[in-house]
């Protein structure tokens, strides 16, 4: 049986929120089978649980925010991406503020945290959402067109294409495909950092955003070039970060997907729309488990890989 996974032990991290600039403590804890991933705002007078789901996403401007009532958690996508990459099904995320710490701007620190806690196999079958009919969302026309789609695939692969019309971005790889079956998430995707342009930063700061952002947790560009003195971590770090984000956004559906995702200039908003469209088309997917490991697609079988 392909089993659900949780953490072996508790692990903690401290950092600042990218947008809020607020100090925040994160405690990742093991959870029972079929709990899913649950954020818990432990700083509120009465702690509030926010289980992840496509419908729990309440805001997608610049980052993915989940919420219930007045309780929110911003910028969940990099932690969710690490969970998708390592196949964590059940976990509590105790958090002391309304934004997940940005750490180094990638998901590498979360991968490290999860791996140091250790991954525990649980006595319950892992439940997948298998896409059986294509589902697509699309916006705009011609030069403004963007789209994202899921098609049936025995495994999980993502392909993404960007088009930022910026010299520093255009000189890097614009398209990347990552297959969980043949690739290595920790090595190939997790280290890609978020990125931003100095021309946007002033505007964002005026609206109280990007207050915690800087050269130690993002790739920052002026109108011509990358300003980080160390340069890029991958030749195609920008588009790889979009894959990292998409894996996090899509994991908010609450179960691993069996599908091929492809997207052109998609982002947090469109990724969430795609999930909602998928769930609304009840004949486009089914829930499956694998009693026999040999039936499971590669990429979900092996123990969690080290770096
Ligand atoms: Zn991101």
């Amino acid at each position: 049986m392909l089993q659900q996974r949780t953490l072996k032990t508790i692990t903690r991290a401290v950092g600042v929120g990218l947008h809020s600039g607020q100090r925040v403590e994160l405690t990742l804890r093991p959870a029972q089978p079929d709990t899913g991933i649950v954020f818990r705002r432990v700083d509120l007078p009465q702690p509030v649980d926010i289980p992840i789901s496509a419908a729990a996403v309440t805001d997608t401007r610049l980052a993915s925010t989940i919420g219930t009532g007045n309780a929110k958690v911003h910028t969940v996508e990099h932690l969710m991406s690490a969970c998708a990459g390592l196949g964590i099904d059940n976990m509590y995320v105790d958090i002391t503020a309304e934004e997940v710490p940005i750490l180094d701007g990638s998901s590498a620190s979360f991968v490290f945290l999860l791996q140091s806690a250790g991954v525990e196999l649980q006595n319950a079958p892992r439940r997948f959402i298998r896409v059986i009919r294509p589902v697509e969302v699309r916006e705009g026309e011609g030069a403004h067109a963007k789209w994202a789609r899921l098609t049936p695939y025995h495994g999980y692969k993502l392909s993404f294409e960007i088009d930022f019309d910026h010299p520093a971005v255009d000189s890097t790889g614009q398209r990347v495909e990552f297959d969980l079956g043949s690739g290595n998430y920790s090595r190939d995707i997790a280290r890609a950092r978020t990125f931003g342009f100095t021309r946007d930063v002033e505007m964002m700061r005026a609206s109280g955003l990007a207050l915690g952002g800087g050269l130690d947790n993002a790739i920052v560009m002026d109108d011509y070039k990358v300003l980080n003195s160390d340069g890029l971590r991958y030749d195609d770090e920008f588009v790889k970060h979009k894959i990292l984000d998409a894996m996090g956004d899509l994991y908010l559906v609450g179960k691993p997907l069996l599908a091929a995702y492809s997207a052109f200039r998609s982002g947090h908003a469109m990724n969430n729309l795609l999930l909602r469209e998928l769930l609304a088309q009840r004949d486009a997917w089914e829930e499956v488990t694998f009693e026999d490991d040999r039936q499971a697609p590669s990429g979900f079988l092996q123990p969690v890989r080290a770096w």
Side-chain angles (χ1 to χ4, degrees), residues 43-59:
D43 55 316
L44 300 175
Q46 201 70 271
V48 177
D49 281 1
I50 312 174
I52 61 162
S53 74
V57 176
T58 54
D59 193 349

Side-chain angles (χ1 to χ4, degrees), residues 134-164:
V135 173
E136 181 181 279
V137 289
R138 183 175 278 277
E139 235 174 60
E141 295 296 326
H144 300 288
K146 33 178 158 173
W147 52 262
R149 95 170 55 100
L150 291 168
T151 52
Y153 181 64
H154 186 63
Y156 189 40
K157 76 176 171 189
L158 304 99
S159 63
F160 205 106
E161 188 174 347
I162 52 174
D163 179 11
F164 275 90

